[in-house]
């Protein structure tokens, strides 16, 4: 038998069946009123997930495209920008800002450590020429989730930019309450959509920076995106990934039906279950034992065990796809994804596969230690959330099979503030 593939990495993530089915919907022209309703609904759904009334723009690209676009749309060469770097994605932002000629002040911490808001405040207080600060919300390379409420609080006087790629839909994020000016992310992590769509939410202050920014831009030009969205039939300036938008619409509907609070709680519990299991196996985590760490758990392999080999063997023998570490963590850790369309049994399966793989390499793990702890931790939370033992409602099968279901009205009135 060809093995059954189980995707357990922190992005891309498994798709709900109706999101897969939505890809088979006949293609639509993207400049019709009918498609515009879907487009507006997707944007409103993203605003709900980001908890913002700010404008949201959607781009056809991986996340890095939208990051690059943010820099082009906000800055001029020589602008002084603080970039927090405690992992591979923070490092990517440092490189990106430097490529565009920004004057980067780097604030770093060892991989696995947080960067406290107090340190950010100290740097900003000491250097009034800094105009903006960039932070990664959920640092997927380590599993650390940085304190974005604190970051927002200490960046009131500068422009704040947040990369929430594996955060949105898994970890608490309150764009407006926390005063985050630009929040950039994409669909392929907890938002249960195949890779290829990115988004950015923009505050008044972000638009203000945009109007003065001097870097060249074209494909990611926010004014072009806003003008197209602001037409009588809202649309994107260039051909969007139509199929992915239909899939994201289905994914956001799925999320809305579960309810954002319950979705976040499910992720929090899955983080606890995963940490309890690996601890019971005698392993240590790099990601902190903290409820905020809800999207991915980073686990050190025992001395003498090549983590990359574990990843390969687990895939080859059991069809369970996890991922290793970047940079200084390469070969030392495995990363277990538990964000998106994931439930307790998925995590228990992943832990069982990890146990089996370690045992096959003669690492002495008592049989079932991790699984027993995962079952125990799940049982403690059962009743809380569907997918964790509470009775859930089966979806409407006919609607699910159709992929899109009946059209829903737009939820938030779109604000009309952008671009001016
Ligand atoms: C996954 C992830 C990205 C992905 O960027 P791509 O351009 O899609 O490779 C960026 N930032 C963070 C924090 C991520 O977790």
């Amino acid at each position: 038998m060809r093995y059954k593939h189980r995707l357990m990495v922190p992005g891309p993530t498994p798709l709900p069946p109706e999101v897969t089915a939505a890809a088979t919907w006949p293609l639509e022209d993207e400049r019709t009123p009918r498609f515009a309703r879907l487009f507006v609904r997707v944007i409103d759904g993203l605003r709900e997930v980001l908890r913002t009334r700010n404008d949201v723009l959607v781009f056809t690209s991986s996340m890095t495209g939208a990051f690059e676009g943010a820099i082009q749309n906000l800055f001029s060469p020589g602008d002084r920008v603080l970039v927090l770097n405690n992992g591979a994605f923070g490092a990517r932002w440092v490189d990106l800002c430097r490529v565009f000629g920004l004057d980067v002040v780097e604030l770093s911490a060892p991989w696995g450590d947080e960067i406290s808001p107090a340190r950010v405040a100290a740097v900003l207080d000491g250097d009034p020429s800094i105009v903006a600060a960039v932070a990664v919300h959920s640092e997927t390379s380590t599993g650390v989730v940085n304190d974005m409420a604190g970051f927002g609080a200490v960046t009131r006087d500068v422009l704040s930019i947040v990369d929430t790629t594996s955060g949105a839909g898994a970890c608490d994020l309150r764009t407006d309450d926390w005063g985050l000016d630009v929040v950039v992310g994409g669909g392929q992590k907890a938002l249960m959509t195949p890779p290829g769509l990115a988004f950015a939410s923009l505050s008044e202050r972000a638009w203000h920076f945009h109007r003065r920014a001097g870097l060249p831009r074209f494909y990611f030009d926010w004014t072009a995106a806003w003008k197209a969205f602001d037409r009588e039939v809202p649309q994107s300036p260039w051909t969007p990934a139509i199929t992915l938008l239909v899939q994201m619409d289905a994914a956001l509907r799925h999320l809305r039906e579960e309810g954002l609070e319950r979705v976040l709680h499910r992720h929090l519990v899955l983080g606890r279950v995963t940490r309890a299991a690996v601890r019971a196996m005698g392993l240590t985590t790099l990601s902190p034992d903290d409820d905020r760490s809800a999207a991915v758990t980073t686990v050190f392999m025992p001395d003498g065990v090549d983590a990359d080999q574990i990843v390969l063997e687990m895939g080859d023998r059991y069809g369970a796809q996890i991922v290793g570490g970047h940079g200084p963590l390469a070969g030392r850790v495995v990363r277990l994804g538990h964000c998106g369309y994931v439930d307790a049994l998925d995590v228990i399966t992943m832990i069982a596969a990890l146990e089996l793989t370690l045992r096959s390499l003669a690492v002495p793990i008592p049989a079932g230690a991790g699984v027993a702890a995962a079952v125990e931790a799940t049982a403690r939370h059962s009743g809380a959330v569907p997918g964790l033992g509470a009775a859930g409602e089966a979806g409407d099968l006919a609607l699910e099979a159709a992929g899109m279901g009946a059209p829903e009205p737009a939820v938030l009135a779109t604000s009309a503030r952008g671009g001016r």
Side-chain angles (χ1 to χ4, degrees), residues 10 62-65 67 89 92 136 138 140 163 165-166 188-189:
S62 92
M63 311 319 92
T64 307
F67 302 165
F89 292 103
R92 184 180 294 185
V136 175
S138 170
T140 319
D163 168 1
T165 306
S166 68
Q188 84 253 29
K189 307 274 166 88

Side-chain angles (χ1 to χ4, degrees), residues 202-334:
L202 313 173
S203 70
E204 283 287 359
R205 177 154 47 191
W207 283 116
H208 180 70
F209 268 69
H210 172 66
R211 284 189 287 273
R212 296 187 317 187
L215 279 165
R217 55 187 186 243
F218 193 87
Y219 182 75
F220 291 108
D221 184 4
W222 291 351
T223 296
W226 177 261
K227 281 190 173 153
F229 185 71
D230 202 30
R231 289 165 77 150
E232 196 169 322
V233 176
Q235 52 194 268
S236 54
W238 336 118
T239 311
I242 296 168
T243 310
L244 292 177
L245 285 168
V246 176
Q247 290 186 280
M248 185 174 264
D249 185 38
L252 289 167
R253 171 192 296 265
H254 184 104
L255 206 142
R256 186 178 305 136
E257 281 174 0
E258 185 175 347
L260 184 56
E261 288 300 336
R262 287 200 291 184
V263 168
L264 298 179
H265 187 70
R266 172 166 54 79
H267 282 90
L268 178 152
V269 171
L270 294 179
R272 285 186 191 168
V273 169
T274 308
R275 291 190 297 273
V278 295
R279 260 200 314 269
M281 291 163 73
L283 303 173
T284 54
T285 61
L286 173 72
S287 40
D289 189 11
D290 175 344
D291 279 344
R292 250 193 275 148
S293 190
V296 51
T297 300
T298 303
V299 188
F300 284 106
M301 288 297 101
D303 284 344
V305 174
D306 175 3
D308 292 338
Q309 192 193 351
I310 300 287
V311 171
L312 287 177
E313 299 264 337
M314 209 164 132
D316 285 349
R317 290 173 192 244
Y318 301 103
Q321 181 68 61
I322 58 168
V323 68
H326 300 254
L329 300 176
R332 296 171 57 210
V333 300
V334 299

Side-chain angles (χ1 to χ4, degrees), residues 114 136-139 142-147 171 288 290 292-295:
E114 247 195 81
V136 175
H137 179 204
S138 170
E139 181 42 91
T142 64
V144 168
V145 174
N146 290 301
D147 173 3
C171 309
D290 175 344
R292 250 193 275 148
S293 190

Side-chain angles (χ1 to χ4, degrees), residues 42-118:
V42 165
I43 286 175
D44 282 344
L46 291 171
R47 294 162 91 204
E48 277 183 84
V49 172
L50 301 177
R51 300 206 231 229
T52 186
R53 301 196 66 80
N54 288 339
D55 296 323
V56 168
L57 303 176
V58 174
F59 309 98
T60 298
S61 75
S62 92
M63 311 319 92
T64 307
F67 302 165
E68 180 161 326
I71 293 178
Q72 297 167 333
N73 276 277
L74 290 166
F75 300 116
S76 303
D79 281 350
R80 205 165 165 81
V81 172
L82 175 65
V83 182
L84 282 59
N85 175 5
N86 58 346
F89 292 103
R92 184 180 294 185
W93 278 96
V94 170
D95 292 344
L96 193 49
C97 290
R98 291 210 168 115
V99 162
F100 283 95
L102 305 190
D103 179 8
V104 174
V105 178
E106 191 177 342
L107 177 61
S108 54
W111 289 33
D113 287 357
E114 247 195 81
I115 298 179
S116 71

